[in-house]
């Protein structure tokens, strides 16, 4: 099923947008408190140097600049959606697509990290993240993954991620923040991984 969804997303974009829209309606009926609960969790888990928050409509220009400003080599394994403002506005309005940002604490600076949960009404969520190249190796990837896991845990959603076997940094972040189980081998040397909270051990 995951392989089919990935194929549809990349090869039938018009149909994928329709799937996302219908899924958003259904998800919002079943999980109406997602954004409220996620906002609470993000606020509770800020760090000394960084703060985490939901992406809002007013953040779209800054998020688009952040994503489009990332060097191509740093985006080799990150292609979840287009980075233009039109797409980002469509996604931020979708109740099943939870978009989150990382900024410096006490500094009015740009976005330095972006992460999301693409949720489905069947009780599953797919996590993705991106860290600014100048802020790598500071634990942001693991922190974002752990926060996504905490949100899924609070909402009783199963969390998954697809990671390339060549993306060592992402594999390290997800395994540091969660307990991982390889569920499926995907095309292009990707693996579907289910993440569970280490708090449940």
């Amino acid at each position: 099923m995951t392989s089919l969804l990935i194929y549809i997303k990349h090869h039938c974009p018009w149909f994928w947008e329709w799937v996302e829209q219908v899924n958003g309606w259904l998800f919002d009926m079943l999980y109406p408190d997602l954004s409220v609960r996620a906002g609470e969790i993000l606020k509770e888990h800020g760090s000394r140097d960084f703060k985490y928050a939901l992406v809002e409509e007013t953040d779209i220009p800054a998020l688009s600049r952040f994503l489009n400003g990332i060097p191509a080599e740093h985006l080799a394994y990150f292609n979840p959606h287009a980075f233009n403002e039109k797409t980002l506005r469509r996604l931020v309005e979708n109740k099943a697509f939870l978009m989150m940002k990382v900024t410096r604490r006490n500094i009015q600076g740009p976005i330095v990290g972006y992460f999301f949960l693409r949720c489905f009404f069947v009780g599953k969520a797919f996590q993705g993240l991106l860290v600014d190249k100048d802020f790598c190796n500071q634990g942001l990837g693991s922190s974002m993954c752990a926060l996504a896991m905490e949100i899924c845990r609070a909402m009783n959603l199963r969390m998954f991620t697809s990671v390339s076997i060549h993306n060592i940094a992402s594999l390290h972040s997800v395994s540091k923040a969660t307990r991982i189980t390889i569920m499926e081998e995907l095309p292009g040397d990707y693996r579907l991984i289910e993440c569970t909270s280490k708090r449940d051990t």
Side-chain angles (χ1 to χ4, degrees), residues 66-91:
F66 165 71
L67 294 171
N68 284 298
I70 300 293
E73 62 272 15
H74 199 59
L75 293 171
Y77 306 109
F78 189 81
N79 184 31
H81 52 71
F83 298 159
N84 59 75
E85 291 189 25
K86 180 181 178 181
T87 298
L88 297 176
R89 285 196 174 88
R90 175 174 59 81
L91 292 174

Side-chain angles (χ1 to χ4, degrees), residues 140-179:
L140 278 182
S142 297
S143 296
M144 289 189 283
C145 187
L147 283 169
M149 183 75 261
E150 188 66 20
I151 292 167
C152 286
R153 186 174 183 269
M155 299 300 299
N156 198 28
L157 294 168
R158 294 174 67 189
M159 189 173 100
F160 297 84
T161 188
S162 57
V163 181
S164 169
I165 61 174
H166 307 295
N167 191 352
I168 305 303
S170 287
L171 288 169
H172 174 74
S173 292
V174 71
S175 60
K176 181 179 179 181
T178 69
R179 288 190 295 120

Side-chain angles (χ1 to χ4, degrees), residues 11 13 34 36 64 72 76 80 84 98 106 121 134 165 170 173 186 200:
H11 293 85
L34 174 64
V36 173
S64 182
N84 59 75
L98 189 72
N106 300 324
F121 72 93
D134 294 329
I165 61 174
S170 287
S173 292
L186 300 174
D200 296 331

Side-chain angles (χ1 to χ4, degrees), residues 65 93 134 146 150 183:
R65 286 194 300 271
E93 292 171 359
D134 294 329
E150 188 66 20
M183 304 297 291

Side-chain angles (χ1 to χ4, degrees), residues 34-77:
L34 174 64
S35 60
V36 173
R37 188 69 187 101
E40 293 172 348
I41 290 171
L42 294 173
K43 187 175 181 180
E44 292 169 1
H45 291 79
S47 69
R48 184 184 64 182
D49 299 316
F50 301 99
K51 57 182 178 180
Y52 308 84
L54 297 176
V55 171
E56 300 178 355
E57 178 76 23
T58 54
D59 296 316
I60 295 302
L63 179 59
S64 182
R65 286 194 300 271
F66 165 71
L67 294 171
N68 284 298
I70 300 293
E73 62 272 15
H74 199 59
L75 293 171
Y77 306 109

